[in-house]
């Protein structure tokens, strides 16, 4: 015969199970995670689910699974000190048009970890939380206003269809980019990659990152707000229908009016990045995208 004590235990067990389920659900939904490996839906943006060591020792870095319309679209390792991304990781998808997003999103969980797990227009997030400063750990749209720099995408909107295209308009995927570079040689380089990926790859995995400058900032009200990177770089791994590598490459440019992209191999990119780090760069892709 079941006693009242048995019934209580059963209900407690159910409650514990429910709490565990809700805890796991919240973990899955979280935008900012301790490790990309903790979010399987976020790992798919890395070739063979290998997260590069590059940037992993960045102090106070945030790992963002970029969530928009309730699903992930790419991953970003974000430097909250310099308020620019170390890199964004994504896989190429043919664009279906859709134009440019008029909103600029911010990451709510970089303000408060208990806030919503989806990027939101910075203006409306401010309306939801009046009196709360949103820019302690991230750049805001007003930081770029009249700065003389473009809001330069790392993960480019032209490498995605809607709604992934819209999701790239988050300020955690943006750096202060020299307008001449952004609108000329880097734009052309991205367009050339589009043609290459469409012609050659069944799937292309891409990393796009920035190297912070020693002391060059967008300054607002005498406060150093957003670091102006000295370089922008890109690395990619192209695979066939069986997931086997068929081609790879990389490119890098000074973030100046020099307006020139230097293309190189992945091995050369590793050597290039090593100039800016005291830590070993390691492989940017699994087996450096070799068969």
């Amino acid at each position: 015969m079941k006693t009242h004590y048995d019934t209580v235990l059963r209900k407690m067990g159910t409650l514990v199970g429910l709490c565990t389920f809700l805890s796991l659900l919240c973990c899955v939904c979280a935008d900012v995670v301790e490790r990309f490996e903790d979010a399987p839906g976020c790992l798919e943006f890395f070739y063979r689910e290998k997260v590069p060591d590059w940037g992993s020792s960045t102090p106070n870095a945030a790992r963002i699974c970029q969530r928009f319309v309730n699903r992930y679209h790419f991953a970003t390792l974000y430097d909250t000190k310099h308020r620019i991304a170390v890199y964004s990781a994504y896989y190429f998808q043919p664009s279906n048009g859709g134009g440019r997003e008029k909103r600029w999103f911010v990451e709510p969980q970089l303000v408060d970890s208990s806030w919503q797990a989806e990027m939101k227009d910075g203006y409306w997030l401010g309306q939801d939380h009046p009196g709360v400063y949103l820019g302690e750990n991230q750049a805001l749209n007003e930081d770029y206003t009249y700065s003389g720099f473009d809001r330069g995408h790392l993960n480019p909107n032209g490498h995605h269809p809607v709604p992934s295209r819209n999701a790239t308009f988050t300020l955690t995927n943006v750096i202060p980019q020299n307008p001449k570079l952004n609108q000329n040689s880097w734009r052309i380089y991205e367009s050339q990659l589009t043609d290459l990926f469409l012609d050659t790859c069944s799937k292309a995995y891409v990393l796009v990152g920035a190297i912070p400058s020693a002391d060059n900032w967008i300054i607002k009200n005498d406060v150093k707000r957003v670091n102006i990177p000295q370089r922008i770089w890109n690395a990619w791994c192209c695979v066939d229908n069986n997931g086997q590598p068929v081609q790879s490459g990389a490119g890098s440019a000074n973030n100046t009016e020099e307006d020139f992209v230097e293309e190189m191999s992945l091995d050369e990119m590793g050597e290039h990045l090593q100039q800016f780090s005291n830590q070993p760069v390691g492989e940017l892709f699994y087996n450096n995208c070799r068969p």
Side-chain angles (χ1 to χ4, degrees):
M1 179 180 296
K2 291 184 177 180
T3 65
H4 175 70
Y5 180 70
D6 293 327
T7 302
V8 170
L9 286 178
R10 179 172 55 82
K11 289 183 177 179
M12 287 180 64
T14 301
L15 181 60
V16 169
L18 179 61
C19 289
T20 301
F21 171 75
L22 291 174
S23 176
L24 289 171
L25 185 62
C26 290
C27 179
V28 170
C29 289
D31 219 352
V32 179
V33 295
E34 288 292 324
R35 305 185 318 138
F36 287 125
E37 290 86 352
D38 295 335
C42 212
L43 273 182
E44 67 181 52
F45 304 111
F46 300 91
Y47 172 56
R48 295 202 179 180
E49 300 189 345
K50 174 183 168 53
V51 178
D53 291 332
W54 172 257
S56 60
S57 61
T58 302
N60 302 314
R63 289 154 179 84
I64 307 172
C65 299
Q66 300 282 10
R67 179 179 285 274
F68 181 68
V69 292
N70 204 33
R71 68 180 178 89
Y72 296 148
H73 298 271
F74 61 103
T76 300
L77 181 63
Y78 190 74
D79 182 345
T80 59
K81 175 184 176 182
H82 292 102
R83 301 185 184 91
I84 57 173
V86 178
Y87 64 74
S88 282
Y90 67 96
Y91 55 78
F92 172 82
Q93 300 167 287
S95 173
N96 58 3
R100 293 180 62 85
E101 173 65 64
K102 294 181 180 179
R103 298 165 294 178
W104 285 102
F105 303 110
V106 296
E107 174 49 58
Q109 292 188 349
L110 289 184
V111 184
D112 189 316
S113 61
S114 69
W115 286 8
Q116 68 181 66
E118 179 163 327
M119 63 181 69
K120 186 164 184 175
D121 183 318
Y123 172 79
W124 289 110
L125 186 65
Q127 294 297 304
D128 291 344
H129 302 277
V132 178
Y133 181 53
L134 306 180
E136 183 66 30
N137 295 314
Q138 63 190 311
L140 303 176
N141 193 34
E142 53 261 35
D143 292 326
Y144 285 86
T145 304
Y146 305 120
S147 69
F149 290 88
D150 283 358
R151 297 165 183 80
H153 283 66
L154 292 182
N155 177 4
N157 69 86
H159 283 190
H160 302 278
V162 173
S164 294
R165 182 185 185 100
N166 307 77
T168 64
F169 286 82
T170 170
L171 291 166
T172 53
N173 178 51
V174 161
I175 61 167
Q177 193 168 6
N178 180 279
K180 188 173 181 180
L181 174 67
N182 186 39
Q183 297 168 31
N184 291 282
S185 60
W186 195 258
R187 176 187 59 80
I188 293 169
Y189 175 61
E190 291 174 337
S191 180
Q192 290 171 339
L193 287 181
T194 295
D195 294 338
L196 186 151
F197 295 159
L198 288 172
D199 293 342
T200 309
C201 312
S202 174
K203 197 168 190 177
Y205 295 86
V206 189
L207 295 170
V208 195
I211 306 295
S213 60
D215 196 25
N216 192 15
W217 295 76
I218 291 176
I219 297 175
K220 296 287 183 177
N221 300 318
D222 297 323
V223 176
K224 293 179 179 179
R225 282 294 305 155
V226 187
N227 186 270
I228 301 166
Q230 58 177 307
R231 292 191 73 87
I232 182 173
W233 61 272
N234 155 298
W236 50 272
C237 175
C238 173
V239 302
D240 63 18
N241 288 326
N242 297 315
Q244 295 301 308
V246 292
Q247 196 170 344
S248 64
S252 181
N254 282 321
N255 189 25
T256 65
E257 290 193 357
E258 180 182 332
D259 195 28
F260 172 74
V261 178
E262 179 185 2
E263 296 189 49
M264 60 189 77
S265 69
L266 286 183
D267 288 337
E268 290 170 334
M269 176 54 72
E271 295 172 0
H272 177 66
L273 291 177
Q274 193 63 70
Q275 302 174 58
F276 308 103
S277 177
N278 295 323
Q279 302 293 323
V281 172
E283 294 178 343
L284 295 176
F285 300 101
Y286 175 83
N287 199 29
N288 232 16
C289 194
R290 293 187 178 92

